[in-house]
């Protein structure tokens, strides 16, 4: 599974704003090269809340355990929620090797908030990643629809 395949899948869900900051853009330098997915059918980046999924291509200052500094390494992060988190990990947040490839893990920083992650999703996790992305998308859509009532 490539970053392009993930972007194509998530962007095709409908109402998704895909933000991919590039060098020199208005977005902070740390975000350049990464991708952020928002449920935003109006096409405007929400001023409240977080994306429902991201693709990160490098280590962040407070998040180096996935070792994204390795060549051709990225991590997809998914706000799957506590129920899906427990279903896929079989437990609450716990310390794991966050650099393992093609394995669903608790997000190394946001696991306690129900975020899951996969470094370089591949054949083993392709279907799971798609299902989790759909779950996160559905949760984000439901949240916005509830707020707009």
């Amino acid at each position: 599974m490539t970053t392009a395949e993930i972007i194509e899948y998530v962007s095709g869900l409908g109402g998704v704003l895909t933000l991919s900051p590039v060098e020199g853009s208005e977005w902070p330098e740390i975000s350049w090269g990464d991708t952020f997915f928002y449920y935003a059918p109006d096409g405007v980046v929400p001023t409240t809340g977080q994306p429902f999924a991201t693709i990160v291509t490098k280590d962040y200052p407070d998040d180096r355990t996935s070792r994204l500094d390795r060549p051709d390494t990225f991590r997809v992060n998914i706000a799957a929620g506590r129920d899906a988190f427990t279903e896929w990990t079989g437990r609450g947040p716990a310390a794991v090797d966050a650099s393992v490839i093609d394995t669903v893990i608790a997000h190394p920083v946001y696991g306690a908030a129900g975020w899951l992650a996969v470094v370089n999703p591949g054949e083993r996790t392709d279907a799971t990643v798609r299902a989790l992305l759909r779950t996160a998308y559905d949760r984000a859509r439901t949240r916005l629809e509830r707020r707009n009532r």
Side-chain angles (χ1 to χ4, degrees), residues 10-21:
V10 176
S11 297
L13 293 175
V16 173
L17 173 62
T18 302
L19 180 64
S20 298

Side-chain angles (χ1 to χ4, degrees), residues 88-113:
W88 290 101
T89 64
R91 59 178 168 27
V96 296
D97 179 357
S99 68
V100 66
I101 291 175
D102 199 20
T103 302
V104 177
I105 61 168
H107 186 284
V109 176
Y110 300 113

Side-chain angles (χ1 to χ4, degrees), residues 17-40:
L17 173 62
T18 302
L19 180 64
S20 298
V22 295
E23 184 175 343
S25 68
E26 65 194 85
W27 307 105
E29 183 176 346
I30 190 76
S31 67
W32 298 351
D34 295 339
T35 303
F36 306 84
F37 301 103
Y38 297 89
Y39 181 72

